[in-house]
């Protein structure tokens, strides 16, 4: 039979990698709770028009990276390429502007972009993002950047990232700046790459972050948006910088940072890996989007947010040799021989687990040797061996797998003996029934 493989650019997240995802999720949940940010999950699929309108028709994402299809009911749908549009749609749809503002939400979900796959660039990618709607103050942007930075510290990668900020102005000052930019490029078109030639017409701001060398040279000479901000945007940006300093967040300004989505106003920022010449080095991107809620049919509502690429975080942590805790290790493997022993063993497994002992048995293997080999491979520190003789004598053998020593204990004492032997801190106990309440 022909082998069926995963779709190009979409990868499985196997158990060892899950440890990194679990750790990141734990950090995110903890920091979001501290900030009063609550989780939201929006559907993976939305009407295509949502992304076209929110992200912008002339962006790379909308022009060529969306997974769009027509369903059986003739609806044009798209697998979400990012999280902001769906969260804003939900904010409007559920009348969240009537809630106390700001409304603070986070998500941890897969996104889909049909980009050219390479290291750190996938077609199914995971993002953790925060969106805060209903507050227009640079202190909010500073706090969002601080939160993203704290998360980098928690993950052990803060010293590897540069926090880069910029302001891309507002509908008052940006169009004037774009005219300056176009004037600057007039007559220099032949020095631009083909993509930038079209950008000059369609999306001139993106000329500034082209990676081609010749385009970069021109971008460095181009007029800077920070020299053309209106008073309101300039004040806003100056305050943001003051607050970042007050929060001790190291940052660098780059007038060339423009981001690839059209909804931003004023603040934009990215966390970029230092000393990494590869193109896929942005682990976090975000900014303010004061016009988006209104643009999608809601009330005039300022908003700001960011998103991390989780796959890139995992890659960065692994490359840096950072090891996350794993709780998947097994304490005990039960080894049994004969039908009576098997019956006792399945019950014993259940009793061990109810005490928080992580225990496994392999009931399909009939030789003690093959079961022992499994215990070895699982790196279980202990094995409990139950053969016909032990069943008859009401005993069980406790084997220390590392030392290779064995002791015979009374079957009735097996639970207290195991609990005495195992480091209690590693037990996996949870009494869920005590956590629930009823109306
Ligand atoms: P973005 O810059 O398009 O922003 O994506 C955010 C992050 O997702 C990137 O910095 C990167 O780490 C990760 N990422 C993006 N594309 C890929 C890919 N193909 N493979 C792996 N990782 C990827 C947004 O999506 C905005 N919604 C962020 C935002 C939220 N702005 C305001 N609120």
């Amino acid at each position: 039979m022909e082998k069926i493989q995963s779709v190009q650019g979409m990868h499985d997240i196997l158990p060892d990698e899950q440890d990194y995802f679990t750790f990141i999720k734990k950090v995110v949940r903890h920091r979001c709770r501290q900030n009063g940010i609550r989780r939201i999950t929006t559907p993976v699929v939305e009407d295509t028009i949502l992304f076209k309108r929110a992200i912008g028709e002339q962006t790379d994402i909308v022009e060529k990276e969306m997974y769009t299809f027509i369903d059986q009911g003739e609806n044009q749908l798209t697998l979400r390429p990012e999280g902001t549009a769906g969260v804003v749609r939900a904010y409007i749809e559920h009348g969240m502007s009537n809630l106390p503002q700001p409304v603070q939400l986070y998500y941890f979900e897969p996104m889909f972009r049909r980009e050219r796959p390479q290291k750190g660039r996938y077609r199914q990618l995971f993002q953790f993002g925060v969106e805060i709607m209903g507050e227009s103050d640079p202190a909010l942007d500073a706090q969002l950047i601080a939160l993203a930075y704290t998360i980098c510290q928690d993950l052990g990668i803060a010293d590897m990232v540069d926090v880069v900020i910029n302001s891309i102005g507002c509908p008052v000052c940006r169009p004037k700046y774009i005219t300056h930019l176009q004037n600057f490029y007039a007559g220099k078109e032949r020095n631009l790459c083909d993509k930038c030639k079209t950008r000059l017409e369609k999306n001139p701001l993106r000329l500034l972050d082209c990676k081609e060398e010749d385009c970069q040279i021109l971008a460095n000479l181009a007029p800077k948006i920070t020299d053309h901000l209106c008073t309101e945007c300039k004040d806003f940006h100056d305050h943001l910088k003051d607050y970042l300093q007050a929060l001790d967040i190291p940052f660098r300004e780059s007038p060339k940072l423009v981001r690839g989505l059209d909804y931003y106003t004023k603040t934009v920022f990215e966390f970029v890996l230092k000393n990494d010449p590869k193109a896929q080095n942005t682990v976090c991107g975000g900014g303010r989007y004061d016009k988006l809620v209104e643009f999608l049919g809601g009330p005039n509502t300022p908003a700001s947010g960011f998103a991390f690429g989780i796959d890139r975080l995992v890659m960065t942590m692994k490359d840096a040799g950072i090891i996350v805790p794993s709780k998947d290790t097994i304490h005990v493997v039960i080894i049994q021989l004969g039908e009576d022993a098997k019956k006792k063993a399945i019950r014993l497994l259940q009793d061990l687990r109810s005490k928080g002992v992580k225990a496994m048995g392999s009931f399909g293997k009939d030789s003690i040797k093959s079961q022992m080999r499994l215990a070895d491979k699982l790196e279980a520190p202990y094995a409990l061996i139950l053969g016909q003789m032990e069943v008859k004598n009401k005993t069980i053998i406790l084997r220390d797998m590392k030392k290779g020593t064995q002791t015979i204990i009374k079957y009735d004492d097996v639970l207290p003996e195991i609990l005495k032997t195992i480091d209690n801190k590693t037990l996996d106990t949870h009494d869920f029934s005590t956590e629930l309440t009823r109306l």
Side-chain angles (χ1 to χ4, degrees):
M1 276 292 204
E2 191 196 337
K3 259 197 280 175
I4 301 172
Q5 299 205 304
S6 63
V7 175
Q8 201 196 0
M10 306 206 181
H11 63 289
D12 301 308
I13 301 159
L14 300 174
D16 284 345
E17 192 142 275
Q18 292 291 350
D19 286 338
Y20 284 83
F21 271 70
T22 305
F23 188 77
I24 295 171
K25 217 179 248 179
K26 196 166 132 184
V27 165
V28 163
R29 200 168 49 204
H30 170 67
R31 293 298 176 195
C32 283
R33 256 186 215 139
Q34 280 185 334
N35 282 269
I37 304 169
R38 300 182 74 200
R39 183 163 178 181
I40 182 169
T41 302
T42 59
V44 171
V45 173
E46 300 267 5
D47 278 328
T48 304
I49 182 73
L50 173 70
F51 301 117
K52 281 194 177 167
R53 216 194 287 169
I55 300 169
E57 300 261 6
Q58 314 290 355
T59 57
D60 284 354
I61 296 181
V62 170
E63 272 190 343
K64 46 184 198 240
E65 294 170 3
M66 295 208 301
Y67 282 95
T68 295
F69 60 98
I70 309 280
D71 78 354
Q72 289 84 340
E74 300 293 307
N75 306 298
Q76 195 185 48
L77 305 174
T78 295
L79 300 188
R80 61 169 172 225
E82 59 102 54
T84 314
V87 171
V88 170
R89 193 242 342 110
Y91 176 88
I92 299 167
E93 188 169 330
H94 301 284
M96 290 191 221
S97 57
N98 297 319
L99 299 175
Q101 305 291 302
V103 171
Q104 313 199 109
L105 301 168
Y106 81 91
Y107 48 88
F108 195 111
E109 307 290 338
M111 309 291 162
F112 302 84
R113 296 185 190 181
R114 202 175 187 289
E115 295 194 71
R116 201 162 46 81
Q118 59 188 73
K119 191 177 181 216
R121 199 206 274 156
Y122 306 106
R123 290 180 170 176
Q124 174 173 327
L125 56 128
F126 278 81
Q127 278 188 352
F128 143 63
V130 173
E131 312 293 352
I132 300 191
M133 284 142 296
E135 182 138 281
S136 166
D137 197 294
L140 169 61
D141 301 20
Q143 285 179 80
L144 279 168
I145 294 172
L147 169 61
Y149 191 73
T150 307
I151 288 170
C152 289
Q153 285 176 320
D154 292 334
L155 300 178
I157 60 163
D159 56 350
M160 296 163 67
V161 298
D162 262 341
V163 179
V164 187
I165 67 162
N166 191 23
S167 170
I168 57 164
C170 66
V172 173
C173 53
R174 197 187 310 153
K176 291 182 200 154
Y177 167 71
I178 287 177
T179 311
H180 280 293
L181 200 60
Q182 283 170 322
N183 289 342
F184 167 82
Y185 279 102
K188 302 186 180 73
E189 293 88 346
R190 65 193 160 78
N191 299 315
L192 294 173
C193 71
D194 287 345
K195 264 194 191 164
C196 280
K197 281 184 187 130
T198 43
R199 280 177 183 144
L200 194 51
E201 279 299 305
K202 289 180 168 181
N203 201 348
L205 271 191
R206 301 276 354 230
L207 285 162
L208 298 175
D209 75 347
C210 178
K211 303 280 180 293
E212 296 292 328
E213 206 180 326
D214 285 350
C215 302
Q216 283 265 326
I217 294 171
L218 279 179
N220 286 333
L221 299 170
K224 297 181 176 38
I225 187 153
T226 31
D227 294 334
H228 292 84
L229 296 175
C230 60
T231 321
E232 188 192 317
C233 287
K234 189 177 176 318
D235 268 5
F236 194 97
H237 197 54
D238 288 344
H239 275 105
L240 169 66
K241 288 186 280 179
D242 281 349
Y243 296 145
L244 286 175
Q245 269 154 7
L247 288 164
D248 289 327
I249 308 293
F251 66 92
R252 161 164 79 76
E253 280 189 86
S254 169
K256 290 193 295 175
L257 177 66
V258 291
R259 310 268 305 126
L261 306 100
D262 280 357
Y263 47 63
Y264 293 110
T265 47
K266 295 184 178 141
T267 312
V268 286
F269 60 89
E270 278 183 356
F271 284 35
V272 184
L273 292 175
K274 289 178 196 169
N275 308 325
D276 194 337
K278 285 172 295 175
Q280 313 315 316
N281 57 3
T282 306
V283 290
C284 172
R288 178 160 281 281
Y289 45 94
D290 286 345
K291 303 289 163 201
L292 184 59
V293 180
E294 203 175 357
F295 199 51
L296 294 178
N300 181 2
T301 311
S304 197
F306 66 75
F308 273 96
I310 315 273
D311 314 84
R312 286 189 194 171
L313 285 176
V314 173
M315 201 177 71
T316 308
M317 291 170 77
K318 280 187 170 171
D319 286 353
I322 296 167
I323 298 180
V324 292
S326 173
K327 290 189 176 163
D328 288 352
T329 46
I330 285 288
H331 289 125
V332 179
V333 171
I334 293 196
I335 292 165
Q336 38 69 43
L337 194 66
E339 193 50 37
D340 291 339
K342 195 172 188 172
K343 223 184 286 168
K344 268 188 128 166
I346 56 169
R347 175 66 207 219
L348 179 56
L349 267 179
Q350 189 172 308
D351 293 344
L352 284 166
R353 289 168 185 157
S354 74
K355 298 281 178 224
V357 179
K358 292 178 274 184
M360 265 185 69
S362 173
F363 294 96
K365 294 191 177 63
D366 42 17
S367 86
I368 293 224
K369 210 166 160 195
S370 60
Q371 293 179 59
M372 197 76 100
R373 220 176 293 134
L374 175 74
D376 234 1
K377 287 209 180 114
L378 291 174
E379 295 179 20
Y382 299 101
L384 284 167
I385 307 165
L386 201 57
Q388 280 140 340
M389 179 85 108
E390 285 74 30
V391 173
K392 207 170 116 213
N393 296 342
K394 297 198 169 68
T395 58
I396 191 163
I397 299 170
L398 173 61
R399 184 182 172 87
D400 184 320
M401 295 296 291
K402 266 203 201 104
K403 293 189 191 143
T405 52
Q406 301 193 159
T407 39
I408 299 172
I409 50 180
K410 273 203 248 153
Y411 188 81
D412 287 343
D413 292 343
V414 62
L415 281 181
E417 277 299 324
I418 283 284
L419 290 172
K420 236 193 309 174
T421 321
I422 290 173
D423 177 1
N424 277 22
K425 284 199 294 286
T426 66
L427 290 177
D428 205 338
T429 45
H430 238 298
D431 186 357
F432 295 108
S433 63
T434 61
E435 295 180 20
L436 299 175
T437 48
R438 271 183 212 277
L439 277 182

